[in-house]
Amino acid sequence: MTRETRFGALAADARWQAAWESANSFATTETGDAKDSGRPKAYILEMFPYPSGRIHMGHVRNYAMGDVLARFKRMTGHDVLHPMGWDAFGMPAENAAMEKGVHPNGWTRANIDAMRGQLKRLGLAIDWTRELATCDADYYGQEQALFLDLFAAGLVTRKESYVNWDPVDMTVLANEQVIDGRGWRSGALVEKKKLSQWFLKITDFADELLEGLKSLDQWPDKVRLMQENWIGKSQGLEFSFRLAGGAPGFDVFTTRPDTLYGASFAAISPDHPLAERLAKDSPELAVFIAECRRQGTSAEQLETAEKLGFDTGLAVEHPLDPDWHLPVWVVNYVLMDYGTGAIFGCPAHDQRDLDFARKYDLAVHRVIADGDEDGQVFHGDEAYVGTGRLVNSHFLNGMGIDEAKAAVIARAEHEGWGKGTTVWRLRDWGVSRQRYWGTPIPFIHCPACGLVPVPKGQLPIVLPEDADFSVPGNPLDRHPTWKHTSCPSCGGEALRETDTLDTFVDSSWYFLRFASAPADKPFDPAVIARWLPVDQYIGGIEHAILHLLYARFWTRALQRIGMVDIKEPFASLFTQGMVTHETYSRAQGEGLPPLYFTPDEVTRTAEGATLDADGAPVEVGRVIKMSKSKKNVVDPDAILDQYGADAARWFMLSDSPPERDLPWSEAGIEGAWRFVQRLWRLFGESENTGDGGEDIALARKLHRAIAVVAADIEALGFNKAVAKIHALANDIEKAEPSATRAEACATLILLVAPMMPHLAEEAWAGLPDARRTTDLVADAAWPAVNPALLADDEVTIVIQVAGKRRDEITLAKGLDKEAVEAAALARPRIAELLGGAAPKKVIVVPDRLVNIVP
RNA sequence: GCGGACGUGGCGGAACCGGUAGACGCAGCAGACUUAAAAUCUGCUAUCCAUUUGGGUGUGCGGGUUCGAGUCCCGCCGUCCGCACCA
């Protein structure tokens, strides 16, 4: 067979993908247990995609990274689990059903088929036998079983509550899914609606989920911090105010019980039951409350919102001095759904209270002083929130803040009017969705027996195939027959629950099902124990809170009921950056949005860009995340057709650090393509041994590259690994033919194999048998490093004079300081600079540099 | 407002633990090969002065610690991200 002078990527991609498939190369080695196989396990997982229909460049980047790691782990002797599946339930399928009249199942399955095909073209080392879609009855039936287990354990509740109702999607949203008062998917303004809802008691785990973050030392600090803020633990005092006259009042929560003597008013939320009660007899208050509710919740509105209040005329007794009465106001800045919906106002030491007090001319008393400022009247418009000592506070005077907090709590508990308590920002997870395309909640409403769990033997509760999607609302609820059933308990007529589960439930345990998927139960705990936790999880930062917090909760919930013995599902998390592209647009005149063009429609030059259709310039905009609306998208299929999988993968891994955004460019992919071809030519020289001699300098470079590339891949520093491989290729090309050079060419195949697997296979197949340890490079081992070749025996030492680089010498490695110093001072150039004078001081850093202070 | 991250050539970025700043790639310039183009190869490419050898400046800005700072400390400026009347 004569060797092609160009690497034919398209044919090679197909050839090797077929070869891997028929050799079953990426099937998981079931032992997965160092005890049995002697090999460590590596569970490499990328967040599974939603089957929207087409993959995008973000997927390519995400899966290329995971794939490099999975292939590298195989090469370094691990049993690897690297699966793929589909987060297949959710709104878009139902929207498609409504808009195009296709069934959600058919739409979803077709999308999965299309995307699977696209992913396979990337040549991913995935064990496709473990593929799952969350809309498989196999999968969601087991999810129903888990839901029943959690119910039995008291971790599922049903409560009547105000919910976030998305009027466009006609569904309920979790708090986390409401962004600036709008639905995260539809963008519609969210309304408050009272409904009976299913909840998972994530708040039971608030403390554990917070504490657990400390153990996740291989997670980005940023994500841990975001979760910590989300959980929002505050410790303080909860106490009751009595209305003056002795009538029962209301409870307040504060994190600053130390400032109680600085109180000058009490404030309740417009949604507080007391405010609502008072409003019945006060039309003015009713008007005020209505205005507060109209007030928006978006960032800008809150920023500029004025503190407004309504004096109820009521007064409450100060808990530490019953003769001291505080006026009760209804104010717009106290939220009903945090703490108790009521506070005491201490204007001197809380900015919001101070703004409010200044507006309504209320007393402002200093109770914390950081120096000699101890007058009772507080001046200025900036609250003092720093440290200090208590003043004007009777028995607290002179105490530090923490001491005073403890003293007030102790006194409250002793006298019985309050207690130390912890308040969380985290709410229970509302999982009810009034949708068709989700996991049916396995419960039955019986008029006689009430709420009855579906017996496990009757699972899965399958979605009906015939459903009407022509109008908004829940197709399950209006289905003519599906919800009618009999009660498992009394046998009488009963109705099925028609809510389905939030899709974040589906993604809270898919990583377990990948590891173990028996037919008769959700998973086999013994197999889970072998594979979990996931060793490397890779996905977008957009899941920092929702998905990752829910999955952590679900895992802990399963641990509590004894089904798994891990607390945290993901040992190491990596959040990759987005793929971005510049935009091309033309202004369309006043008031109109600009007209955007796709990269295909435009010719880009160094100076600017012109539209192919008319040859006139278009405006080159900022580099931003690829999005359909800005038309700055590049279709992976087109790239694969033109350049093949390896060039696409290589470019995705080059240049930008993986956690940062990657600017896509035509020049960049061209560069990757050229490098693929260059390597192909280089690999072709692998048998050119010249005179057969050794090239020790090249051998050193080779072995250093083997070690450094391995370390870079291990640390997910793909851009650095790419740079090192480039440098090594340069070095090999410059070297004269030799046995070492031939060996280096062959070894380079292995170094690029995780990133460019098709090219590697093609080149590997061209090697003589003597050089090939395995038929497929996919089964080959990572090259061994010869430690003796890692270090040079000579080093270049820089000579500085007064901290400035003036000269350099090459010396044997490991010389002692005196010898290095003498060698440096002996240099004519250094002697000249010193002008004959003895140096004041000489610093020698072994094998690195000499700094001479004249 | 609170919290966090980041500022290095024309661009993406590299630089171990404080020790040669700009690796590697892209773009650009010059040259070789070619009838020509593509492809490929070679060289140059932070900046200013001298242009042969060298010297000055330079990692957002201003200070500081140190023999030595992109890296550590203090204070600014800018960009991006997250949260948000959370009591």
Side-chain angles (χ1 to χ4, degrees):
Chain A
M1 187 172 98
T2 54
R3 196 171 191 276
E4 300 287 336
T5 52
R6 275 171 77 85
F7 174 63
L10 235 49
D13 286 0
R15 178 159 53 247
W16 297 109
Q17 284 159 22
W20 297 325
E21 196 159 331
S22 68
N24 212 8
S25 293
F26 307 120
T28 309
T29 316
E30 254 310 333
T31 51
D33 184 354
K35 282 202 299 285
D36 298 344
S37 71
R39 290 189 296 269
K41 63 99 179 176
Y43 187 174
I44 310 297
L45 184 67
E46 301 96 54
M47 291 179 184
F48 68 164
Y50 178 80
S52 58
R54 308 282 301 160
I55 64 166
H56 52 69
M57 281 299 172
H59 291 126
V60 177
R61 191 177 190 203
N62 188 187
Y63 299 131
M65 288 178 191
D67 199 55
V68 171
L69 201 62
R71 285 175 180 272
F72 177 74
K73 289 288 182 189
R74 277 177 54 79
M75 292 181 83
T76 51
H78 293 74
D79 283 342
V80 173
L81 172 56
H82 186 221
M84 181 59 68
W86 311 95
D87 188 14
F89 273 139
M91 283 296 303
E94 263 178 271
N95 289 340
M98 268 185 268
E99 286 157 23
K100 297 173 204 152
V102 291
H103 192 277
N105 188 52
W107 184 84
T108 303
R109 298 290 168 182
N111 286 349
I112 288 174
D113 288 343
M115 288 174 73
R116 186 194 303 106
Q118 288 186 295
L119 288 183
K120 286 195 170 179
R121 289 193 65 191
L122 290 171
L124 304 177
I126 281 170
D127 180 357
W128 285 101
T129 64
R130 291 173 186 251
E131 179 181 357
L132 62 82
T134 56
C135 63
D136 296 338
D138 275 358
Y139 185 83
Y140 71 73
Q142 297 302 342
E143 184 168 307
Q144 290 166 339
L146 288 175
F147 192 77
L148 292 174
D149 290 335
L150 295 185
F151 176 80
L155 294 174
V156 175
T157 57
R158 212 172 133 74
K159 47 190 177 187
E160 181 100 326
S161 75
Y162 278 104
V163 296
N164 304 305
W165 179 257
D166 185 320
V168 170
D169 283 349
M170 302 261 295
T171 190
V172 170
L173 300 174
N175 279 345
E176 297 87 318
Q177 293 163 353
V178 180
I179 295 145
D180 289 344
R182 290 172 183 274
W184 71 294
R185 195 189 285 279
S186 72
L189 276 174
V190 167
E191 298 166 1
K192 290 283 174 198
K193 199 171 172 179
K194 203 166 195 176
L195 281 178
S196 236
Q197 295 288 302
W198 292 92
F199 286 88
L200 286 170
K201 289 168 87 175
I202 193 171
T203 54
D204 274 19
F205 293 79
D207 228 338
E208 276 193 42
L209 289 168
L210 183 65
E211 285 301 306
L213 290 172
K214 290 181 190 148
S215 72
L216 297 174
D217 55 348
Q218 294 179 76
W219 279 39
D221 290 343
K222 179 191 169 105
V223 173
R224 291 195 286 178
L225 192 69
M226 282 164 76
Q227 293 210 354
E228 188 182 320
N229 290 338
W230 188 264
I231 294 167
K233 180 180 187 174
S234 315
Q235 285 170 304
L237 170 71
E238 187 173 318
F239 69 93
S240 300
F241 271 129
R242 283 197 307 177
L243 289 176
F250 51 87
D251 292 341
V252 300
F253 172 72
T254 179
T255 55
R256 294 297 302 272
D258 52 310
T259 64
L260 202 44
Y261 279 108
S264 51
F265 61 94
I268 61 176
S269 164
D271 298 318
H272 196 280
L274 177 60
E276 288 177 353
R277 203 159 70 235
L278 293 170
K280 285 183 185 139
D281 301 322
S282 164
E284 296 96 329
L285 178 55
V287 168
F288 176 75
I289 291 172
E291 272 169 18
C292 291
R293 289 195 180 147
R294 211 172 304 133
Q295 183 190 356
T297 49
S298 77
E300 306 89 302
Q301 283 166 315
L302 289 177
E303 194 88 22
T304 54
E306 204 181 352
K307 306 279 181 287
L308 296 173
F310 184 94
D311 188 350
T312 62
L314 297 176
V316 288
E317 292 174 2
H318 193 286
L320 292 166
D321 179 1
D323 295 331
W324 179 5
H325 290 182
L326 301 170
V328 178
W329 289 69
V330 177
V331 304
N332 64 341
Y333 68 91
V334 172
L335 307 173
M336 193 58 223
D337 59 3
Y338 183 80
T340 60
I343 61 161
F344 77 83
C346 176
H349 305 294
D350 182 287
Q351 189 60 48
R352 295 155 305 174
D353 293 342
L354 184 61
D355 294 345
F356 182 75
R358 291 294 184 226
K359 180 173 169 75
Y360 292 100
D361 212 14
L362 300 170
V364 183
H365 294 155
R366 173 194 300 281
V367 287
I368 308 284
D370 59 333
D372 10 312
E373 281 261 4
D374 62 356
Q376 188 170 22
V377 179
F378 186 92
H379 300 284
D381 288 321
E382 245 178 75
Y384 180 71
V385 294
T387 55
R389 307 237 138 231
L390 273 286
V391 294
N392 306 316
S393 296
H394 305 81
F395 75 103
L396 301 174
N397 284 341
M399 291 184 185
I401 290 173
D402 289 339
E403 192 187 352
K405 282 180 180 173
V408 172
I409 291 171
R411 179 145 166 187
E413 290 179 346
H414 183 249
E415 294 175 357
W417 49 267
K419 64 179 196 322
T421 185
T422 301
V423 162
W424 305 87
R425 209 189 83 108
L426 185 70
R427 319 261 111 198
D428 275 335
W429 175 16
V431 293
S432 287
R433 296 291 180 272
Q434 289 66 46
R435 308 302 325 169
Y436 166 83
W437 195 232
T439 302
I441 296 178
F443 278 86
I444 289 166
H445 302 273
C446 171
C449 312
L451 190 67
V452 184
V454 173
K456 279 197 181 174
Q458 292 178 25
L459 298 181
I461 304 302
V462 196
L463 291 167
E465 282 180 27
D466 54 327
D468 171 22
F469 301 101
S470 59
V471 289
N474 185 354
L476 283 183
D477 197 40
R478 79 170 97 86
H479 190 279
T481 58
W482 185 79
K483 67 181 171 185
H484 298 285
T485 186
S486 57
C487 171
S489 177
C490 70
E493 277 188 29
L495 293 176
R496 286 195 191 287
E497 172 62 61
T498 59
D499 283 356
T500 50
L501 289 172
D502 181 3
T503 56
F504 280 112
V505 176
D506 307 337
S507 53
S508 290
W509 71 287
Y510 76 106
F511 44 88
L512 301 176
R513 186 78 179 167
F514 273 147
S516 168
D520 58 341
K521 54 187 173 183
F523 47 78
D524 179 345
V527 179
I528 295 300
R530 210 145 72 202
W531 282 110
L532 273 283
V534 172
D535 295 284
Q536 184 64 61
Y537 197 32
I538 307 178
I541 187 74
E542 66 272 22
H543 293 112
I545 296 172
L546 306 180
H547 161 58
L548 289 167
L549 190 62
Y550 293 148
R552 293 183 60 221
F553 154 69
W554 191 271
T555 304
R556 277 172 189 267
L558 293 182
Q559 193 241 358
R560 185 175 288 187
I561 62 176
M563 292 186 69
V564 300
D565 62 1
I566 50 162
K567 289 188 159 83
E568 293 291 343
F570 313 121
S572 180
L573 173 72
F574 187 85
T575 53
Q576 99 271 11
M578 298 178 297
V579 181
T580 58
H581 197 288
E582 53 190 15
T583 59
Y584 308 108
S585 64
R586 269 184 196 161
Q588 289 196 104
E590 282 298 304
L592 289 170
L595 191 60
Y596 287 98
F597 303 100
T598 65
D600 305 347
E601 298 175 290
V602 166
T603 299
R604 186 75 171 93
T605 64
E607 294 78 40
T610 54
L611 186 64
D612 294 341
D614 59 13
V618 292
E619 190 175 337
V620 178
R622 276 175 31 136
V623 176
I624 55 171
K625 179 182 180 176
M626 286 191 177
S627 81
K628 282 180 191 147
S629 64
K630 299 289 191 297
K631 288 200 173 182
N632 59 336
V633 288
V634 174
D635 178 32
D637 262 350
I639 297 300
L640 293 177
D641 287 342
Q642 200 176 346
Y643 301 101
D646 291 341
R649 293 166 59 116
W650 186 255
F651 179 49
M652 286 284 121
L653 300 164
S654 304
D655 294 348
S656 288
E659 69 278 11
R660 274 198 235 173
D661 289 352
L662 170 78
W664 177 275
S665 71
E666 194 66 22
I669 183 71
E670 291 277 358
W673 166 247
R674 278 201 301 273
F675 188 62
V676 167
Q677 294 301 338
R678 210 177 118 202
L679 283 180
W680 177 244
R681 289 191 296 273
L682 190 57
F683 293 153
E685 297 179 30
S686 63
E687 289 319 303
N688 183 358
T689 59
D691 59 10
E694 298 285 317
D695 179 341
I696 192 71
L698 183 62
R700 286 213 164 91
K701 284 171 180 158
L702 175 65
H703 281 261
R704 216 167 303 151
I706 297 169
V708 170
V709 170
D712 284 339
I713 292 177
E714 198 94 55
L716 308 181
F718 304 113
N719 59 320
K720 295 189 217 170
V722 162
K724 306 288 166 40
I725 288 172
H726 262 287
L728 178 64
N730 292 346
D731 289 334
I732 296 174
E733 280 177 345
K734 284 191 193 105
E736 295 297 322
S738 66
T740 308
R741 188 177 188 274
E743 186 205 323
C745 286
T747 305
L748 185 56
I749 296 173
L750 295 169
L751 297 191
V752 301
M755 304 185 195
M756 302 201 253
H758 309 87
L759 173 70
E761 291 289 3
E762 194 79 13
W764 188 252
L767 288 180
D769 288 347
R771 282 217 188 273
R772 290 192 304 156
T773 46
T774 53
D775 286 345
L776 290 171
V777 81
D779 295 321
W782 189 256
V785 174
N786 178 355
L789 290 171
L790 282 185
D792 268 323
D793 46 12
E794 286 191 327
V795 284
T796 301
I797 292 178
V798 166
I799 305 172
Q800 296 181 334
V801 176
K804 288 190 190 298
R805 184 179 180 282
R806 291 291 131 132
D807 199 0
E808 64 178 45
I809 40 175
T810 302
L811 294 174
K813 200 176 169 176
L815 277 188
D816 60 32
K817 290 190 175 190
E818 289 70 24
V820 174
E821 181 177 335
L825 290 172
R827 300 282 291 180
R829 174 145 175 74
I830 300 304
E832 185 189 326
L833 280 165
L834 288 174
K840 203 186 286 170
K841 191 173 178 186
V842 178
I843 292 105
V844 178
V845 182
D847 295 338
R848 278 194 169 264
L849 95 168
V850 179
N851 189 12
I852 298 162
V853 186

